[in-house]
Amino acid sequence: MSNLSRRNFVAALGTGAAAVWLTAEARDVLAAGARAAAAAKAQAPFKVLTADQAADLDAATSRIIPSDSTPGAHEANVVRFIDESLAGWAKDQKDDVNKLVAELRRIAAEKHKGAKSFAALTPAEQDAVIATMEKTKGSHFGDLRGITVTGMFADPKYGGNVNKSGWKLLGFDDKFSWAAPFGWYDRDV
């Protein structure tokens, strides 16, 4: 990976497979997110993902947007958002997510003999697997990045971005309402 700052890397995301997640019907995404928020609060079992898949996805999304001095994908509850989306508006992408998890496990097993899952690897080993995926043509890296970004920066009331952690990372000022004047373009309103 290049020496981009974390903020610049996150800001540069949003291409490829992310388009499917970002162009979905807003009402479907909002409904999936609301269910994800409720499931996370209740610590309900996953609807679509198995516990092993959820663990691998949580580990992988946490390598895309890691936790450091700020919360990452794990704290933002990205995996709950993914699960709820797969149970609703993104159900036709379940096979792609299954292939993504299978690819994570396959590369983990190839690089680290005896590894039974991606989540069982150390963070450095996980980074190596992610780097391999990123460089491999036809891999599901774009899908992983897209679903991570979507879950990280969605409105928190819809499941991802718990405690507005994604918005805080970007410096987004979440005001309840915005009042005029907004700027130079409407000063004469």
Side-chain angles (χ1 to χ4, degrees), residues 125-147:
E125 292 168 339
Q126 291 173 350
D127 286 343
V129 170
I130 297 289
T132 299
M133 284 180 69
E134 185 178 18
K135 293 175 188 173
T136 304
K137 188 173 184 162
S139 83
H140 291 278
F141 177 76
D143 295 338
L144 174 62
R145 181 179 56 196
I147 60 179

mmCIF file of all heavy atoms in Angstrom, residues 125-147:
data_model
loop_
_atom_site.group_PDB
_atom_site.id
_atom_site.type_symbol
_atom_site.label_atom_id
_atom_site.label_comp_id
_atom_site.label_asym_id
_atom_site.label_seq_id
_atom_site.Cartn_x
_atom_site.Cartn_y
_atom_site.Cartn_z
ATOM 1 N N GLU A 125 -0.431 -10.475 9.767
ATOM 2 C CA GLU A 125 -0.758 -11.523 8.801
ATOM 3 C C GLU A 125 -2.030 -11.173 8.032
ATOM 4 O O GLU A 125 -2.122 -11.408 6.819
ATOM 5 C CB GLU A 125 -0.917 -12.868 9.517
ATOM 6 C CG GLU A 125 0.377 -13.402 10.094
ATOM 7 C CD GLU A 125 0.180 -14.580 11.044
ATOM 8 O OE1 GLU A 125 -0.940 -14.764 11.588
ATOM 9 O OE2 GLU A 125 1.158 -15.327 11.247
ATOM 10 N N GLN A 126 -3.005 -10.590 8.720
ATOM 11 C CA GLN A 126 -4.237 -10.152 8.052
ATOM 12 C C GLN A 126 -3.930 -9.079 7.016
ATOM 13 O O GLN A 126 -4.473 -9.104 5.913
ATOM 14 C CB GLN A 126 -5.247 -9.638 9.080
ATOM 15 C CG GLN A 126 -5.813 -10.718 9.965
ATOM 16 C CD GLN A 126 -6.675 -10.162 11.079
ATOM 17 O OE1 GLN A 126 -6.727 -8.951 11.332
ATOM 18 N NE2 GLN A 126 -7.367 -11.050 11.775
ATOM 19 N N ASP A 127 -3.042 -8.145 7.367
ATOM 20 C CA ASP A 127 -2.660 -7.097 6.415
ATOM 21 C C ASP A 127 -2.032 -7.689 5.162
ATOM 22 O O ASP A 127 -2.279 -7.223 4.045
ATOM 23 C CB ASP A 127 -1.691 -6.103 7.065
ATOM 24 C CG ASP A 127 -2.374 -5.169 8.054
ATOM 25 O OD1 ASP A 127 -3.621 -5.048 8.026
ATOM 26 O OD2 ASP A 127 -1.644 -4.554 8.858
ATOM 27 N N ALA A 128 -1.228 -8.734 5.332
ATOM 28 C CA ALA A 128 -0.599 -9.389 4.181
ATOM 29 C C ALA A 128 -1.650 -10.038 3.285
ATOM 30 O O ALA A 128 -1.545 -9.984 2.052
ATOM 31 C CB ALA A 128 0.427 -10.432 4.655
ATOM 32 N N VAL A 129 -2.653 -10.643 3.877
ATOM 33 C CA VAL A 129 -3.738 -11.261 3.103
ATOM 34 C C VAL A 129 -4.506 -10.182 2.340
ATOM 35 O O VAL A 129 -4.783 -10.325 1.146
ATOM 36 C CB VAL A 129 -4.682 -12.080 4.012
ATOM 37 C CG1 VAL A 129 -5.941 -12.506 3.254
ATOM 38 C CG2 VAL A 129 -3.954 -13.298 4.576
ATOM 39 N N ILE A 130 -4.838 -9.090 3.022
ATOM 40 C CA ILE A 130 -5.561 -7.987 2.378
ATOM 41 C C ILE A 130 -4.721 -7.405 1.235
ATOM 42 O O ILE A 130 -5.246 -7.121 0.151
ATOM 43 C CB ILE A 130 -5.921 -6.887 3.405
ATOM 44 C CG1 ILE A 130 -6.861 -7.414 4.475
ATOM 45 C CG2 ILE A 130 -6.508 -5.653 2.712
ATOM 46 C CD1 ILE A 130 -8.258 -7.708 4.040
ATOM 47 N N ALA A 131 -3.418 -7.232 1.458
ATOM 48 C CA ALA A 131 -2.542 -6.701 0.405
ATOM 49 C C ALA A 131 -2.519 -7.633 -0.810
ATOM 50 O O ALA A 131 -2.526 -7.170 -1.950
ATOM 51 C CB ALA A 131 -1.133 -6.502 0.954
ATOM 52 N N THR A 132 -2.507 -8.935 -0.569
ATOM 53 C CA THR A 132 -2.555 -9.910 -1.667
ATOM 54 C C THR A 132 -3.860 -9.772 -2.437
ATOM 55 O O THR A 132 -3.873 -9.773 -3.674
ATOM 56 C CB THR A 132 -2.394 -11.343 -1.129
ATOM 57 O OG1 THR A 132 -1.118 -11.450 -0.493
ATOM 58 C CG2 THR A 132 -2.516 -12.376 -2.239
ATOM 59 N N MET A 133 -4.967 -9.653 -1.710
ATOM 60 C CA MET A 133 -6.267 -9.472 -2.375
ATOM 61 C C MET A 133 -6.271 -8.205 -3.218
ATOM 62 O O MET A 133 -6.776 -8.196 -4.340
ATOM 63 C CB MET A 133 -7.396 -9.382 -1.339
ATOM 64 C CG MET A 133 -7.792 -10.682 -0.723
ATOM 65 S SD MET A 133 -9.128 -10.453 0.469
ATOM 66 C CE MET A 133 -10.495 -10.021 -0.603
ATOM 67 N N GLU A 134 -5.719 -7.134 -2.668
ATOM 68 C CA GLU A 134 -5.724 -5.848 -3.370
ATOM 69 C C GLU A 134 -4.952 -5.932 -4.682
ATOM 70 O O GLU A 134 -5.334 -5.311 -5.669
ATOM 71 C CB GLU A 134 -5.125 -4.776 -2.463
ATOM 72 C CG GLU A 134 -5.194 -3.385 -3.031
ATOM 73 C CD GLU A 134 -4.639 -2.336 -2.093
ATOM 74 O OE1 GLU A 134 -3.905 -2.683 -1.148
ATOM 75 O OE2 GLU A 134 -4.938 -1.157 -2.314
ATOM 76 N N LYS A 135 -3.887 -6.708 -4.709
ATOM 77 C CA LYS A 135 -3.040 -6.822 -5.896
ATOM 78 C C LYS A 135 -3.546 -7.851 -6.896
ATOM 79 O O LYS A 135 -3.130 -7.841 -8.049
ATOM 80 C CB LYS A 135 -1.620 -7.206 -5.475
ATOM 81 C CG LYS A 135 -0.916 -6.131 -4.699
ATOM 82 C CD LYS A 135 0.419 -6.624 -4.205
ATOM 83 C CE LYS A 135 1.044 -5.605 -3.260
ATOM 84 N NZ LYS A 135 2.262 -6.125 -2.629
ATOM 85 N N THR A 136 -4.431 -8.749 -6.469
ATOM 86 C CA THR A 136 -4.890 -9.841 -7.319
ATOM 87 C C THR A 136 -6.058 -9.395 -8.187
ATOM 88 O O THR A 136 -7.108 -9.012 -7.672
ATOM 89 C CB THR A 136 -5.311 -11.055 -6.462
ATOM 90 O OG1 THR A 136 -4.221 -11.421 -5.631
ATOM 91 C CG2 THR A 136 -5.728 -12.219 -7.332
ATOM 92 N N LYS A 137 -5.876 -9.473 -9.477
ATOM 93 C CA LYS A 137 -6.946 -9.106 -10.403
ATOM 94 C C LYS A 137 -8.108 -10.086 -10.234
ATOM 95 O O LYS A 137 -7.913 -11.289 -10.123
ATOM 96 C CB LYS A 137 -6.420 -9.148 -11.833
ATOM 97 C CG LYS A 137 -7.394 -8.602 -12.835
ATOM 98 C CD LYS A 137 -6.773 -8.507 -14.198
ATOM 99 C CE LYS A 137 -7.769 -7.874 -15.137
ATOM 100 N NZ LYS A 137 -7.162 -7.367 -16.326
ATOM 101 N N GLY A 138 -9.303 -9.583 -10.186
ATOM 102 C CA GLY A 138 -10.480 -10.429 -10.049
ATOM 103 C C GLY A 138 -10.805 -10.811 -8.615
ATOM 104 O O GLY A 138 -11.730 -11.573 -8.379
ATOM 105 N N SER A 139 -10.058 -10.273 -7.674
ATOM 106 C CA SER A 139 -10.361 -10.603 -6.274
ATOM 107 C C SER A 139 -11.571 -9.801 -5.805
ATOM 108 O O SER A 139 -12.084 -8.936 -6.509
ATOM 109 C CB SER A 139 -9.159 -10.319 -5.377
ATOM 110 O OG SER A 139 -9.108 -8.953 -5.018
ATOM 111 N N HIS A 140 -11.980 -10.072 -4.610
ATOM 112 C CA HIS A 140 -13.144 -9.387 -4.032
ATOM 113 C C HIS A 140 -12.738 -8.234 -3.134
ATOM 114 O O HIS A 140 -13.509 -7.805 -2.286
ATOM 115 C CB HIS A 140 -13.998 -10.397 -3.260
ATOM 116 C CG HIS A 140 -14.663 -11.384 -4.166
ATOM 117 N ND1 HIS A 140 -15.828 -11.090 -4.829
ATOM 118 C CD2 HIS A 140 -14.304 -12.627 -4.558
ATOM 119 C CE1 HIS A 140 -16.178 -12.134 -5.578
ATOM 120 N NE2 HIS A 140 -15.257 -13.068 -5.435
ATOM 121 N N PHE A 141 -11.531 -7.707 -3.332
ATOM 122 C CA PHE A 141 -11.070 -6.589 -2.514
ATOM 123 C C PHE A 141 -11.991 -5.379 -2.655
ATOM 124 O O PHE A 141 -12.312 -4.716 -1.675
ATOM 125 C CB PHE A 141 -9.630 -6.203 -2.865
ATOM 126 C CG PHE A 141 -9.152 -5.002 -2.098
ATOM 127 C CD1 PHE A 141 -8.797 -5.113 -0.777
ATOM 128 C CD2 PHE A 141 -9.092 -3.750 -2.705
ATOM 129 C CE1 PHE A 141 -8.375 -4.010 -0.057
ATOM 130 C CE2 PHE A 141 -8.680 -2.645 -1.993
ATOM 131 C CZ PHE A 141 -8.320 -2.771 -0.665
ATOM 132 N N GLY A 142 -12.418 -5.081 -3.881
ATOM 133 C CA GLY A 142 -13.317 -3.938 -4.097
ATOM 134 C C GLY A 142 -14.625 -4.096 -3.342
ATOM 135 O O GLY A 142 -15.155 -3.122 -2.797
ATOM 136 N N ASP A 143 -15.141 -5.325 -3.298
ATOM 137 C CA ASP A 143 -16.368 -5.580 -2.537
ATOM 138 C C ASP A 143 -16.138 -5.325 -1.052
ATOM 139 O O ASP A 143 -16.956 -4.686 -0.385
ATOM 140 C CB ASP A 143 -16.830 -7.028 -2.719
ATOM 141 C CG ASP A 143 -17.238 -7.347 -4.144
ATOM 142 O OD1 ASP A 143 -17.561 -6.415 -4.901
ATOM 143 O OD2 ASP A 143 -17.225 -8.538 -4.496
ATOM 144 N N LEU A 144 -15.021 -5.837 -0.542
ATOM 145 C CA LEU A 144 -14.697 -5.658 0.872
ATOM 146 C C LEU A 144 -14.573 -4.182 1.210
ATOM 147 O O LEU A 144 -15.155 -3.710 2.192
ATOM 148 C CB LEU A 144 -13.396 -6.394 1.210
ATOM 149 C CG LEU A 144 -12.837 -6.188 2.620
ATOM 150 C CD1 LEU A 144 -13.824 -6.692 3.666
ATOM 151 C CD2 LEU A 144 -11.489 -6.881 2.753
ATOM 152 N N ARG A 145 -13.841 -3.466 0.410
ATOM 153 C CA ARG A 145 -13.659 -2.031 0.648
ATOM 154 C C ARG A 145 -15.000 -1.293 0.563
ATOM 155 O O ARG A 145 -15.315 -0.460 1.415
ATOM 156 C CB ARG A 145 -12.671 -1.459 -0.362
ATOM 157 C CG ARG A 145 -12.408 0.018 -0.152
ATOM 158 C CD ARG A 145 -11.410 0.557 -1.132
ATOM 159 N NE ARG A 145 -11.847 0.291 -2.488
ATOM 160 C CZ ARG A 145 -11.064 0.356 -3.541
ATOM 161 N NH1 ARG A 145 -9.793 0.644 -3.408
ATOM 162 N NH2 ARG A 145 -11.540 0.121 -4.743
ATOM 163 N N GLY A 146 -15.802 -1.630 -0.435
ATOM 164 C CA GLY A 146 -17.083 -0.944 -0.615
ATOM 165 C C GLY A 146 -18.047 -1.148 0.531
ATOM 166 O O GLY A 146 -18.654 -0.190 1.023
ATOM 167 N N ILE A 147 -18.185 -2.383 0.978
ATOM 168 C CA ILE A 147 -19.136 -2.625 2.074
ATOM 169 C C ILE A 147 -18.614 -2.062 3.392
ATOM 170 O O ILE A 147 -19.395 -1.657 4.246
ATOM 171 C CB ILE A 147 -19.528 -4.114 2.204
ATOM 172 C CG1 ILE A 147 -18.334 -5.009 2.482
ATOM 173 C CG2 ILE A 147 -20.267 -4.583 0.979
ATOM 174 C CD1 ILE A 147 -18.665 -6.493 2.647
#
